Every structure is written in C-alpha cells, then in structure tokens.
Amino acid sequence: MEARLANETDIAGFREEARSLLAHQVPPEEVHWQTAQNADLFADAPSTEGKAAGRHVPRAASAIVPASFLRLCEVVVLHSDPQRFALLYRLLWRLVHEPGLRNDPIDADMLAAQQLAQAVRRDLHKMKAFLRFRPVEDAEHPGSPLHVAWFEPAHHILEAAAPWFARRFAQMRWAILTPARSVRWDGEQLHYGPGADHCDAPTADAGEQLWLTYYKAIFNPARLKLAMMQKEMPRKYWANLPEAQLIAPLAAEAHERSGRMVEQPATTPERRIPLAEKEHIMLKIDEVESLEELKHATMQCRECPLGEYATQSVVGEGARHAKLMFVGEQPGNQEDLQGHPFIGPAGQLLDKALAELGIARDEVFVSNAVKHFKYELRGKRRIHKSPTQREAAACLHWLEDEIELVKPRALVALGSTAARSLMGYAVPVMSERGKWLEREDGRKVLITLHPSALLRMPPADKEEAFAAFVADLAKARKVMKA
Ligand code: URA
C-alpha cells in the first residue's frame, strides 16, 4: 500500500497517514512511503489514495504515544534517509503493539531513529556555525545590501533553520540558497522558494578581505587543535568559508608563533577598532569558541547603538558547564562599571533567593539578554532604560552563543526581555511565571519575574513577592540535582 506525502518534510501528512494506516491495522511491511519530490508520479494524480480520502479513520482509533516520540518524529523527518518514514511508522506500530518498547533503551529501531535525529541536529548546528553571508548590492534598496549565503545541508533542514537566522539576523535582509530550497528574509517575513545553483551565490566581496585580516588577528596559535578543528569543521564546509583558506598557512606557522608568544611580555589590548572596519566585521563574527572570545567580540559589537555608550560589554559568568543558566535583561550601572553580571541590587536579591534554595551562585551561570548597559543621563546619573526589541534582537546571537558554549540543561528567564529572547516570542510573564516552556532547541525555560521588579514594589508587598519569586525558582532546583 502506498502512503504519499506532500513533500520531504511533511510531518503533518505523515501523522495523518500513519494514524489512518494504524486505524486500518496496516502493518509496516505493507506500506510503501513516497514523497512528492520522488517523482512527477504525483504531478497528474493528486493524492486521492492514502490520506484520509480512501480510508475512513474511526475516531476511536487514535493511538496514544509518548510526546517524546512525536518530538523525535519531527526531527527525524528532516533527515535525507529515504527510509525514515518507514522507520518511524514501524516504531509507531511497535509502540502500539509492544508496550514494553517504550522502556527498552537499546531497541535497534529506536536507536536508529535517535541516530537520524542526532545527524539532523548536527547538520543544523553546522549550518548555524558555517554559513557565511556576503553582501550584494540591491538596486531596489540603495545603500542597503542583500546578504546572500550558499549552503549545502546534508538534510532537509532549511525550514527548520530559517527562523533561527531570522531572529539572529533580524535587522538585515538576507537570503540563503541551497540546492533544494531557498529562503529570503525581508526584515519581517520569511519567503521560501525553489533551490538554487552555486553560481547564483555571490563570490568574495571587499569586506571579506577585512574578515580574513580579522580572523588572522584573532587566531591564537597556542590554542590550535587541528584534529579537533577538522572534526568540528569538516572539509566539506571549507569551500564556503572564506577563512578556510587561512587554516593551512596559519596552522603551518602556529608552532613557531606560539613559541614567540610565550616569550613576549603581556601587552595591553586595544579596546576599540575603527568604525569603518567594524561594519564589515560585525556581520561575520558569528562563531565564538570560548567565553573569553565572547567578551572580546561583544566589546567591539556595534550591531545596535548601545555598545558605543556603555563602559564595556558584560557577558555571563558562573560554572563553565552549569546545569542551570539564569538570563536577565541587561547589565545595570554597577555591572557596566565593573564588568560582571548581577552584582548590583538586583543581583543581591537574586543571590538571596538562591541562598534560600541552597544553590551557590558559582554553581549556576548568570547572564543577560543584552550585553551592554542602556541608560539615559539625568544630570550626572545614569538611569536604566529598557532595551528595545531591536536592541535585544541584535544581541540575541551572543546569548545563543553563550548557551551553545555553556550547554545548560535548562534556563531561567528573569523578566520579559529575557523570556522573549529565549523563546523567540513575547511571553506574558505574569500569567506564565512558575511555568516551564520549551525552546526550539529542546531546552526548558522557567519563566519568572526580574528581581528588579521586586525591588520596585511597595514595601508592604515585598516580602510576599520575594517568597513567590523563591517559589518559582524552587522549580528549577531539581535541574541542579539531576
Ligand atoms: N539587571 C539585569 O537584568 N542584569 C544585570 O546584570 C543586572 C541587573
């Protein structure tokens, strides 16, 4: 029996077909899964077979499977393996007919599905890390180039990845071309289109030379781990990475340079680089490999105006691989002056709440959605001003880099700016506080108030508000124990 899907990632179609097949007791070995891309087969014959059209699904026949299996399906369908739908339907069939399966951690089908999911996640990660935009003049928008990137994903991940790029590069217009599909972001919406050819993508631009100069400057020969680097950045990505051409010569001289570095006295780093160069660089520093590099990169960031007025950037601090990461809004006055997050009055209140829960501050990681202090001057005083959505969106990729580096199991969003940055949409904090939401990357986010909201409350309400805040955070405590 043929089960037909509208396209390579038709998860809704798969669910509908699978439900119908299950209801009709069609065993997996009798089903032949087809996607529209496989053939002009469907061109003249829109799906009348399969789908609910030919089979009337009894309502009572819906199967109850674990939510984790449905999430697994959503990732596995993105894999390019033509057998993925057959595998998922077989698993579904077996989950319904073999109750013991859900408790079998080494079942071969389950392991195969998990491996496919893992490969898809890896592909998504590589796309985020190794895709490079190049500016192309756009006659319709003089002075505002379109940024175009070419990428060859191993799996059908473009639609899954595009919203992430839209959030990270919210303020520029860009297009990603791949052999199978393309996507364009106009600053407001994503538009999908057909696949493209490599020659449709722009070649090196003038700004690229600047990027290469910058890459050479930040290349640290003492930290070179060639095998690790090749594992993380397989050769197949090198063709589209401008800096790849530097790897061999830089690696060749690394040994000698690191010897010279050891012998040299410490130098004072230059705080800022000239603005003309920054404009090119900031679009391209999209891969930081350590928290130290993150600090360095955010110090130079001018993707929004805040960096120009702050004393310095303030990045997250705490346990390098903390299980729990707290995200606030932006550094305050004290944080800006001293360069550490949450050390002022709001930080002290957070520390007090953590202490009540028996959580040491250095066991967790504490950061902010925005890395520079935004303020307005009243006389000589710098008064906190909330960042705009644009400013938070411009800073989002630094926060995502931090999450990638620390890899917390779960996060706590302190207030609405953090919640929006972490979730990608506006979260009504008052109604959602104390609840766990789930991010696109699968991490759970506990929503609660920002401690400075407690500081602003009338004295009579403070005690109760603090107790409620601690009660919210108590829900995150079990992450620390896990
Ligand atoms: N408020 C925040 O959101 N973060 C800080 O680091 C300090 C105050």
Side-chain angles (χ1 to χ4, degrees), residues 49-186:
E49 216 178 291
K51 292 262 181 288
R55 308 183 201 110
H56 300 284
V57 186
R59 275 191 81 63
S62 58
I64 297 181
V65 292
S68 57
F69 177 70
L70 297 179
R71 282 201 298 273
L72 181 70
C73 290
E74 278 166 14
V75 182
V76 172
V77 293
L78 306 184
H79 201 281
S80 53
D81 184 340
Q83 296 307 319
R84 65 199 180 282
F85 294 109
L87 171 67
L88 290 177
Y89 180 58
R90 189 161 68 244
L91 269 170
L92 183 62
W93 173 271
R94 293 186 53 215
L95 278 168
V96 172
H97 294 88
E98 297 171 33
L101 176 62
R102 41 187 92 186
N103 303 318
D104 182 355
I106 53 159
D107 176 78
D109 280 342
M110 202 51 103
L111 288 178
Q114 278 157 1
Q115 272 169 10
L116 296 190
Q118 188 58 23
V120 168
R121 288 198 194 98
R122 208 175 310 121
D123 203 28
L124 276 164
H125 171 74
K126 300 287 182 219
M127 182 167 181
K128 290 172 189 172
F130 300 138
L131 182 137
R132 296 286 181 269
F133 287 109
R134 286 170 165 155
V136 177
E137 277 319 312
D138 181 348
E140 283 183 27
H141 297 86
S144 159
L146 176 69
H147 291 82
V148 182
W150 169 255
F151 195 76
E152 292 171 53
H155 305 292
H156 306 289
I157 56 169
L158 187 70
E159 271 101 336
W164 184 88
F165 283 97
R167 280 196 278 138
R168 180 154 176 175
F169 297 105
Q171 293 173 72
M172 70 187 206
R173 292 178 308 107
W174 52 256
I176 300 174
L177 312 180
T178 80
R181 301 272 281 145
S182 60
V183 61
R184 186 170 60 81
W185 170 251
D186 62 11

Side-chain angles (χ1 to χ4, degrees), residues 314 327-333 335 340-347 361 366-370 384 414 450-452:
V314 179
V327 181
E329 183 198 62
Q330 62 167 352
N333 188 48
E335 289 80 10
H340 303 290
F342 278 101
I343 51 166
R361 167 89 178 243
V366 177
S367 189
N368 282 299
V370 173
H384 164 276
L414 300 167
H450 192 285
S452 58

Side-chain angles (χ1 to χ4, degrees), residues 27 69 130 158 164 176 220 239 266 320 322 325 349 364 391 416 451 474:
F69 177 70
F130 300 138
L158 187 70
W164 184 88
I176 300 174
N220 182 347
R320 179 67 184 74
M325 178 163 166
L349 198 62
V364 297
E391 287 154 351
S416 56

